[in-house]
Amino acid sequence: MIWWQYVIPQHWLSKLMFYFARIKNSWFKNSFITWFVKYYQVNLSEAVRENIKDYQSFNDFFTRELKPDARKIAESLIICPVDGRVSKVGNINNTQIIQAKNHRYNVEQLLCNDIRSVEFKVGFFATIYLSPKDYHRIHMPYDGKLISMSYILGDLFSVNQVTTENIDGLFARNERVVCYFETKFGLCAFILVGAIFVGSMETVWHGQINPPFQKRIQHFSYLNQAIELKKGEEMGRFNMGSTVIMLMSNQINKFILKETEIVKMGQALI
């Protein structure tokens, strides 16, 4: 049953979670983190700070840094940008992207009719879902020069499997941040999709993007700035879990991914 997601105050609850996750009371945050680690079976042995008492708040824990040797960056041209589970992967066919069985949406909707949508009429896409237990920093899947970024307002439906299989155009309806990069294999779009309780997304070049939740689309141009990021470098983070979508040009080989596959940041994608 997902009807309740249509009637709850999605943005208000997400804003509430934003403040909840930043409570610094030691007893409260330690108790909640302890429950969370046990319930979701979080592997803290790979984190730089293994003791939950060393985190200032739940959000500090949720966006935890991993030890330098916790993830190996593959030699391939494109790597996985996050830890998570592959929701869907495949071809972009005449701008159409598969969301779930019997559910499709198009590139124009996802990119909010950006003029660059035509660049992805054909190509490849990958949708990766980050569960609560996953590492929630996002890394560059390739070497790229940042061209622009767009914040697109929208809903905040859950992005779990049940919801993606029942709400049409989910990823093109939810709030999202779209980043465009120039790469050696053409233009790429990298999308951070918001969700219920995902009250904040940020990038390393901009910082916190939301909140505040905007009432209009925002565009940021970086053409006059030399912002270049290397494969494997941190590029952003979710302050609570969600989904990333990669749109690639038709100039590369197909992703070596399977649906439902559990992936780790740094593994080869082609």
Side-chain angles (χ1 to χ4, degrees), residues 132-151:
K133 72 175 181 179
D134 288 322
Y135 169 61
H136 277 80
R137 297 194 183 191
I138 306 163
H139 294 251
M140 284 295 291
Y142 35 64
D143 293 346
K145 179 181 179 181
L146 181 66
I147 300 173
S148 67
M149 178 178 74
S150 297
Y151 164 84

Side-chain angles (χ1 to χ4, degrees), residues 2 39 47 50 56 62 72 80 95 126 129 150 152 170 177-178 180 183 198 220 222 234 250 252 258:
I2 60 171
Y39 185 83
E50 297 186 38
Q56 295 184 355
F62 197 82
K72 182 179 179 181
C80 186
T95 77
Y129 168 72
S150 297
I152 302 171
L170 173 65
V177 174
V178 181
Y180 295 96
T183 74
V198 183
F220 306 89
Y222 302 100
E234 184 180 340
N250 206 30
I252 63 167
K258 297 179 181 179

Side-chain angles (χ1 to χ4, degrees), residues 167-199:
I167 296 182
D168 290 332
L170 173 65
F171 301 125
R173 295 176 63 167
N174 269 16
E175 183 176 77
R176 55 206 181 276
V177 174
V178 181
C179 306
Y180 295 96
F181 293 97
E182 278 184 357
T183 74
K184 64 175 62 178
F185 38 83
L187 182 70
C188 294
F190 193 96
I191 300 98
L192 285 64
V193 183
I196 187 67
F197 299 136
V198 183

Side-chain angles (χ1 to χ4, degrees), residues 35-43 132-133:
W35 170 84
F36 190 93
V37 169
K38 183 177 180 180
Y39 185 83
Y40 288 107
Q41 299 183 331
V42 177
N43 180 12
K133 72 175 181 179

Side-chain angles (χ1 to χ4, degrees), residues 90-116:
N91 297 320
I92 303 172
N93 294 314
N94 194 26
T95 77
Q96 293 293 301
I97 302 174
I98 299 173
Q99 174 179 301
K101 185 178 180 180
N102 300 322
H103 289 275
R104 292 176 181 266
Y105 62 101
N106 63 52
V107 170
E108 291 94 337
Q109 292 172 317
L110 180 65
L111 304 183
C112 202
N113 298 311
D114 190 284
I115 192 172
R116 284 162 290 203

Side-chain angles (χ1 to χ4, degrees), residues 4-5 8-15 17-18 129-130 136 152 154-160 163-164 170-171 173-177 192-201 210 213 238-244:
W4 60 271
Q5 293 193 49
I8 62 172
Q10 297 173 342
H11 287 82
W12 184 85
L13 288 173
S14 295
K15 185 180 292 186
M17 176 59 75
F18 177 86
Y129 168 72
L130 289 74
H136 277 80
I152 302 171
D155 296 315
L156 287 174
F157 289 106
S158 169
V159 289
N160 61 27
T163 310
T164 56
L170 173 65
F171 301 125
R173 295 176 63 167
N174 269 16
E175 183 176 77
R176 55 206 181 276
V177 174
L192 285 64
V193 183
I196 187 67
F197 299 136
V198 183
S200 180
M201 293 179 280
N210 62 321
F213 297 108
F238 286 115
N239 296 320
M240 297 302 285
S242 192
T243 290
V244 297

